[in-house]
Amino acid sequence: MSRFRDSAGGEGSILILSAPSGSGKSTIIRRLLAASPELEFSVSYTTRAPRAGEKDGKDYVFVGPKRFRRMVAGRGFAEWAKVYGNYYGTPLRPLQVARRAGRNILLDIDVQGHRKVRRRCPEAVSVFLMPPSYRELTRRLKQRKSDGPEAIARRLRTAHQELRCWSEYDYVVVNDDVRRAVRALNAILTAARLRRENQRREIGRILKRFGGS
Ligand code: ADP
Ligand code: 5GP
């Protein structure tokens, strides 16, 4: 059994969202979380420096390479990867706790992380968020003003490789309009919640009252 699965059933869903940097993932996640307070966000660890406005413990847990390596050695991550020259990892513990409590948890991870999580947890629901065009992606990265020209060039180069992975995901959403994209994500989330395996506990309770089951 994988380290973050509980075969008893009736657990919360894992929803994975991946996209090339600058596609609008954080923007959409912020709105999604505001609209769905019951949805939990998996706060990753990273060795990259915080951007203006990012809060430690909320957007990421910002750590140095030493602490990150300690977490890897202590098997503290469900998965980790090097992305755009920095290290990022999904802490295992909050994932296990959320799943056992039947809460849905959202993972903002890259294409490598998606592959690793899906291998261990094939029932995870995954969404690839696409920018509407290369030109618009470039515009959004520049407009964000959080990365220098070199970092932007690196993110755009990697975007080409990441985009090729779109077909590995369950759903693809093009982020041309934020509101439309959030609506699409909400629909996917609703469908994930309605999966029969995610309703075992609730259905069990209803059936019990029928006396039979
Ligand atoms: P990511 O988290 O994928 O790296 P961000 O959410 O930081 O991307 O978005 C990058 C920039 O693009 C931000 O300035 C954001 O306001 C803008 N943005 C996001 N979605 C849209 C959209 N649909 N239309 C126009 N601008 C957008
Ligand atoms: P950013 O630096 O723009 O916040 O994120 C860069 C990339 O790292 C994004 O593709 C994001 O999805 C990815 N990322 C964030 N956290 C994790 C994580 O815990 N694991 C993996 N594999 N990727 C992550």
Side-chain angles (χ1 to χ4, degrees), residues 96-138:
Q96 289 173 324
V97 171
R99 299 215 74 199
R100 285 194 194 124
R103 291 195 301 269
N104 299 317
I105 186 158
L106 175 66
L107 270 57
D108 167 353
I109 56 177
D110 84 321
V111 294
Q112 309 169 69
H114 168 248
R115 279 191 195 133
K116 289 176 196 162
V117 174
R118 281 302 281 269
R119 251 200 313 272
R120 288 171 170 190
C121 191
E123 75 277 16
V125 176
S126 68
V127 184
F128 193 83
L129 188 73
M130 293 272 283
S133 66
Y134 180 80
R135 201 178 153 162
E136 174 62 10
L137 181 64
T138 311

Side-chain angles (χ1 to χ4, degrees), residues 17-22 25-26 29 41-46 48-49 51 54 59-60 62 68 77 79-84 86-91 107-114 116-117 141 144 146-147 155 162:
L17 187 61
S18 303
S21 178
K25 198 157 28 88
S26 312
I29 287 175
F41 180 61
S42 163
V43 181
S44 293
Y45 280 56
T46 183
R48 95 149 154 72
R51 292 186 183 129
E54 281 184 333
D59 299 288
Y60 282 105
F62 296 98
F68 194 93
F77 290 127
E79 64 75 36
W80 63 273
K82 191 176 185 185
V83 193
Y84 314 131
N86 289 300
Y87 290 95
Y88 296 82
T90 305
L107 270 57
D108 167 353
I109 56 177
D110 84 321
V111 294
Q112 309 169 69
H114 168 248
K116 289 176 196 162
V117 174
L141 278 169
R144 189 167 65 183
S146 62
D147 302 287
R155 282 169 188 250
E162 291 170 326

Side-chain angles (χ1 to χ4, degrees), residues 21-27 136 139-140 143-144 175-176 178:
S21 178
S23 302
K25 198 157 28 88
S26 312
T27 306
E136 174 62 10
R139 193 195 67 77
R140 287 183 193 173
Q143 169 206 284
R144 189 167 65 183
N175 178 22
D176 45 5
V178 175

